Amino acid sequence: MNTQLILTLLTTAVLCFTHTAVAKTIKPHHQDANLNCNSCHVSKPFEAAPMEQCLTCHELPQKKEDYHGAPDKHDSPHYGTQLECENCHAEHKTSENYCNNCHEFDFKVP
C-alpha cells in the first residue's frame, strides 16, 4: 500500500477511537437523560458548546447565602455572574473549582 493510504487509514482509526473515548465520558446524569453528542454540540460536531446551550436545559443558579464560609460560587466577588459555566463544569473531563486557582475552598464541582 502507498504511504498516503496508510496515513489516511491510521488517521481515520485514531479519529474513530477518539470519538468513542470522548463519547464514553458523558457525565452519568446526562447519560441518564438520554443525551448524546448532538444534544449539546448543535452548531458543529466536536466544537465547544456555548453556555447558552447549557441554559436550554439548566437554569442559572439562585444566589445562596452560605457556602461553608466561601462566597456564593455563582456570584464571584471578582467576576460577578459573568464567568462561563465551563470555567468550573466540564462534560468530558473532571470538573474543577476555578476559585481554587487562587483560594482554598472545599466544595465539589459536579
Side-chain angles (χ1 to χ4, degrees), residues 8-58:
T8 301
L9 291 172
L10 286 173
T11 302
T12 303
V14 167
L15 287 173
C16 288
F17 175 77
T18 302
H19 173 70
T20 302
V22 168
K24 291 181 181 180
T25 63
I26 294 175
K27 299 268 172 106
H29 56 276
H30 288 151
Q31 289 178 0
D32 292 346
N34 293 320
L35 297 178
N36 60 38
C37 300
N38 295 334
S39 301
C40 300
H41 299 279
V42 295
S43 58
K44 290 182 182 176
F46 307 114
E47 184 175 276
M51 188 168 91
E52 292 76 25
Q53 186 61 32
C54 302
L55 297 176
T56 61
C57 295
H58 298 277

Side-chain angles (χ1 to χ4, degrees), residues 61 64 67-68 70-77 80 83 88 97 99 106-110:
K64 304 267 195 293
Y67 278 109
H68 311 288
D72 182 341
K73 53 192 164 189
H74 292 108
D75 188 4
S76 163
L83 284 176
C88 296
N97 180 349
C99 298
D106 186 23
F107 51 81
K108 184 177 184 327
V109 179

